[in-house]
Amino acid sequence: MLKVWAARRRAFNMELTKNQAVLDWIDQQVALTKPDQVIWIDGSEAQLEQLRQEACATGEMYKLNQEKLPGCYLHRSDPTDVARVESRTFICCKKQEDAGPTNNWMDPQEMYAKLHKLYDGSMKGRTMYVIPYCMSVVGSPFAKYGIELTDSIYVVLNMAIMTRMGAEVVPYLDENFIKGLHARANLDPEERYIVQFPEDNVIMSINSGYGGNVLQGKKCFALRIASNLGRQEGWLAEHMLILGIQNPQGEVRYVTGAFPSACGKTNLAMLIPPEGYQKNGWKCWCVGDDIAWLRVGADGRLWAVNPEKGFFGVAPGTNAKSNPNALATTHQGTIFTNVALNLEDDTVWWEKLTPNPPQHALDWKGNPWSPDTATGPAAHPNSRFTAPAENCPCISPEFNNPNGVPISAIIFGGRRAKTAPLVYQSRDWQHGVFVGSVMASEKTAAAEGTVGETRRDPMAMLPFCGYHMGDYWQHWLDMEKAIANPPKIFNVNWFRTDDQGNFIWPGFSENLRVVEWILKRCFDEVGARETEIGYLPNVEDINLDGVDVDRETLASLLSVDRDLWREEAKQIRAFYAQFGDKLPQTLEKELEGLEARLQD
Ligand code: OXD
Ligand code: MN
């Protein structure tokens, strides 16, 4: 049977490899899914253009105003398929305890059997595309290689923006490549599965066409599978932005940052210095907006690459004020998903893009929409742009450096109305791991549940850590021995509010003032005061020139309320309880230390 499919595969495509491990695996997937034809993606512009035309002919994509938005397209996903589905995302390793309490788990054999039934014949009448791709720069010491087989042109075109892919990757495929299979099937939400098999380096997603579920290079590979690889091989795959800050002397220092959603991660990744800073020669460079792979360099420092090549950003809220760099990035070669179509000039629109919505539009479902008669938003709240990173006005000159950039600071963050101060530094690496492990954000709107309810999201990895969270923390702790010159670890909170619920700190560009202090700490250029929770800035050490915040207000942002922190410590204890004996002793001790300091 396999021979028949191999012959069929050969009849249809120009195979890009003679690698038998690769060909055998493809044959098996072809035999299972039974596509009408198989096409290897070579990554050439000619081939991609042909696919764009095909997608436009079938209505899968819509070509936007090419004068205003050259190379840009609109795609609408199925209305039931508009976001990542954590409830349908599984880590399938042999032992359930290896997946841990924060992941869905199923026995791999059981899951394979279930999935095989769903994939069987799912590509009949369709084309299977073979996408060879690389996470990170091809040939770099960080690089990892994979193949995604998919029956979606949308996936091919998005992967072409988000990853290095095509013929240049093929020579690097060996027997360790990450095997990915995606089928749209019939988009049945009840049978939707996003499954990682970390022991087999296999990713399978079915019944979805939405980016976060099916662009397998991103969350599935670069976080869930890669976190496992990092643990085995002694590195870290993290849900972090990478930002370079150039000071007036021309020196660029780099930080990574992990934030739960709705904390301004993309804005920080593309930070624009406040005017006064710009005048003095400060610049910021974006290396990555979402994922960082971190390895120890020969110099004993931690070095980071962004394994992706594009941004898959949330559209609503992005505008010329909130993030002009992100907006500029979307002006060419971009695929928009589930935004509104502005019928006035055949461009796109989303909530808060401009103060005045277009009078004539189609909403994200393709229905007529106008602000006067609207019963819902024009763009889906999770509508996205897939945009080439090279479009970004502040993209770092080091973006394609195969060795990455050296990291001085790791910044964890969250959205806390009262508890966390504007910034604090951990006492040391172990304490920093503790700080990351208890990261949290409070729910903001009544619609999302009880206002103020805290969701713990360790290292912002809750939905992305591909193994037991307790083992993951232990891996972080173990990394300390390997890093002779580790980055310092900080926590920030841009979201403290006053008694009326207004944000006290202006945020956005002004956050550079805090990052400046963080970097000074890393290079021993400024002092700090020790508190129960870590080191806090002396009030005079954060630059307030040109910002409407006085020292008294800053002092309030830098205060530690012992009662709130005692309550916080209680919550942390309850949160830690679910990890049982997988909770590293070191973190238990850190918590005890915090509790003791708060009692004194
Ligand atoms: C993302 C996410 O899409 O974290 O980046 O959900
Ligand atoms: Mn993310």
Side-chain angles (χ1 to χ4, degrees):
M1 183 66 180
L2 272 187
K3 277 209 188 103
V4 177
W5 288 105
R8 192 166 178 161
R9 164 171 55 75
R10 275 181 210 114
F12 282 114
N13 69 36
M14 318 121 318
E15 279 162 11
L16 290 179
T17 181
K18 297 266 175 282
N19 181 323
Q20 208 51 49
V22 171
L23 295 177
D24 287 349
W25 173 71
I26 294 176
D27 285 345
Q28 285 160 11
Q29 312 317 308
V30 170
L32 174 64
T33 56
K34 305 178 181 58
D36 280 13
Q37 58 170 339
V38 180
I39 293 180
W40 276 77
I41 299 301
D42 60 20
S44 65
E45 180 49 31
Q47 189 188 40
L48 295 175
E49 183 50 30
Q50 203 182 335
L51 291 173
R52 286 181 205 117
Q53 284 176 18
E54 199 178 320
C56 288
T58 61
E60 190 176 348
M61 293 209 310
Y62 176 80
K63 197 171 192 167
L64 294 159
N65 181 329
Q66 294 296 295
E67 260 164 50
K68 292 193 170 171
L69 295 171
C72 293
Y73 294 81
L74 169 65
H75 168 82
R76 296 189 189 101
S77 69
D78 187 90
T80 67
D81 185 27
V82 292
R84 287 188 294 102
V85 277
E86 289 174 22
S87 61
R88 316 279 326 161
T89 301
F90 286 77
I91 300 296
C92 293
C93 42
K94 286 193 197 88
K95 290 198 226 141
Q96 181 165 11
E97 66 165 307
D98 290 341
T102 56
N103 282 312
N104 298 314
W105 175 88
M106 198 185 287
D107 172 74
Q109 293 319 317
E110 200 182 318
M111 182 59 95
Y112 278 129
K114 184 188 270 292
L115 290 177
H116 280 194
K117 277 196 202 124
L118 296 175
Y119 280 101
D120 192 357
S122 62
M123 294 192 191
K124 270 189 193 151
R126 302 178 64 83
T127 299
M128 173 190 276
Y129 300 97
V130 180
I131 313 174
Y133 69 102
C134 169
M135 298 314 291
S136 177
V137 177
V138 179
S140 125
F142 287 81
K144 297 280 176 195
Y145 304 91
I147 292 183
E148 178 166 354
L149 305 175
T150 178
D151 59 354
S152 158
I153 294 182
Y154 172 77
V155 168
V156 175
L157 295 174
N158 275 269
M159 287 289 281
I161 297 172
M162 295 303 294
T163 70
R164 283 100 178 161
M165 52 95 93
E168 64 165 335
V169 169
V170 175
Y172 294 88
L173 293 169
D174 59 18
E175 62 284 358
N176 296 322
F177 74 100
I178 308 301
K179 305 173 175 75
L181 178 63
H182 163 243
R184 281 171 53 86
N186 53 21
L187 299 179
D188 179 357
E190 304 296 317
E191 299 284 10
R192 188 166 292 155
Y193 285 95
I194 320 301
V195 186
Q196 287 71 203
F197 298 89
E199 287 151 353
D200 305 335
N201 285 340
V202 167
I203 302 164
M204 297 176 85
S205 51
I206 189 159
N207 278 313
S208 174
Y210 169 77
N213 298 326
V214 300
L215 307 180
Q216 294 183 346
K218 195 175 185 59
K219 306 298 189 184
C220 304
F221 182 161
L223 289 176
R224 300 195 190 98
I225 294 287
S227 59
N228 278 277
L229 297 176
R231 183 187 179 201
Q232 288 154 30
E233 299 169 4
W235 53 280
L236 294 165
E238 297 301 325
H239 190 199
M240 289 178 174
L241 63 86
I242 311 170
L243 172 68
I245 293 110
Q246 182 172 331
N247 62 24
Q249 294 74 46
E251 184 195 4
V252 186
R253 298 169 170 179
Y254 296 91
V255 303
T256 62
F259 295 82
S261 53
C263 286
K265 186 174 165 195
T266 310
N267 295 346
L268 183 60
M270 299 178 191
L271 189 73
I272 295 183
E275 239 169 66
Y277 277 71
Q278 288 184 40
K279 277 203 195 107
N280 289 336
W282 290 80
K283 290 193 177 116
C284 292
W285 301 106
C286 175
V287 183
D289 71 325
D290 196 38
I291 298 176
W293 284 1
L294 299 140
R295 281 179 183 267
V296 186
D299 60 358
R301 289 189 292 174
L302 203 51
W303 290 70
V305 293
N306 169 8
E308 302 188 282
K309 194 176 71 104
F311 305 132
F312 183 62
V314 177
T318 306
N319 59 48
K321 239 180 130 182
S322 67
N323 195 337
N325 284 324
L327 191 62
T329 305
T330 65
H331 285 166
Q332 58 178 328
T334 294
I335 299 173
F336 297 94
T337 303
N338 295 338
V339 301
L341 177 63
N342 180 347
L343 293 174
E344 285 162 17
D345 62 356
D346 222 19
T347 59
V348 288
W349 193 81
W350 51 76
E351 274 61 28
K352 298 209 183 123
L353 172 61
T354 53
N356 299 319
Q359 284 303 314
H360 305 287
L362 295 184
D363 70 8
W364 64 276
K365 293 185 194 162
N367 297 322
W369 186 96
S370 93
D372 308 330
T373 55
T375 52
H380 187 276
N382 190 37
S383 55
R384 298 280 176 149
F385 53 81
T386 317
E390 66 188 13
N391 286 359
C392 183
C394 63
I395 197 69
S396 165
E398 302 301 319
F399 179 72
N400 285 313
N401 187 331
N403 297 315
V405 294
I407 300 303
S408 300
I410 294 173
I411 304 175
F412 295 123
R415 180 183 275 268
R416 306 301 298 268
K418 301 284 175 217
T419 320
L422 181 61
V423 58
Y424 66 98
Q425 182 187 348
S426 66
R427 306 157 76 87
D428 52 26
W429 180 269
Q430 290 186 3
H431 180 227
V433 176
F434 169 77
V435 170
S437 76
V438 300
M439 252 173 72
S441 255
E442 284 151 15
K443 298 200 169 148
T444 49
E448 285 180 299
T450 323
V451 175
E453 193 188 309
T454 313
R455 184 198 197 227
R456 300 269 156 206
D457 186 355
M459 281 85 169
M461 283 288 276
L462 195 62
F464 307 121
C465 180
Y467 59 103
H468 195 298
M469 192 61 82
D471 292 330
Y472 166 74
W473 291 333
Q474 188 59 54
H475 177 49
W476 263 83
L477 293 166
D478 293 343
M479 284 295 292
E480 185 183 13
K481 292 180 216 94
I483 319 172
N485 189 0
K488 304 242 185 320
I489 302 180
F490 298 79
N491 192 87
V492 298
N493 174 28
W494 316 131
F495 301 98
R496 265 218 192 172
T497 54
D498 62 19
D499 293 340
Q500 285 75 48
N502 304 310
F503 294 123
I504 305 173
W505 179 249
F508 296 97
S509 290
E510 311 303 342
N511 293 338
L512 182 57
R513 300 168 189 278
V514 176
V515 178
E516 181 188 12
W517 180 82
I518 287 176
L519 286 169
K520 280 188 178 162
R521 285 295 292 164
C522 296
F523 289 83
D524 295 326
E525 294 165 359
V526 71
R529 66 192 168 94
E530 192 171 350
T531 73
E532 300 87 333
I533 64 168
Y535 298 106
L536 264 81
N538 294 309
V539 177
E540 62 278 11
D541 286 339
I542 291 192
N543 178 15
L544 295 181
D545 291 350
V547 66
D548 193 14
V549 175
D550 57 34
R551 294 278 157 206
E552 205 181 316
T553 307
L554 181 61
S556 76
L557 285 166
L558 295 174
S559 61
V560 177
D561 181 323
R562 290 168 65 95
D563 289 337
L564 285 179
W565 274 90
R566 280 194 204 104
E567 181 51 36
E568 175 80 355
K570 258 193 227 154
Q571 283 186 22
I572 294 171
R573 193 157 274 295
F575 169 67
Y576 269 178
Q578 68 184 298
F579 302 101
D581 57 10
K582 286 268 193 181
L583 177 72
Q585 281 287 309
T586 312
L587 295 188
E588 168 69 32
K589 290 224 171 69
E590 285 295 339
L591 176 55
E592 284 166 12
L594 174 66
E595 287 166 340
R597 290 191 297 275
L598 290 167
Q599 294 315 325
D600 283 350

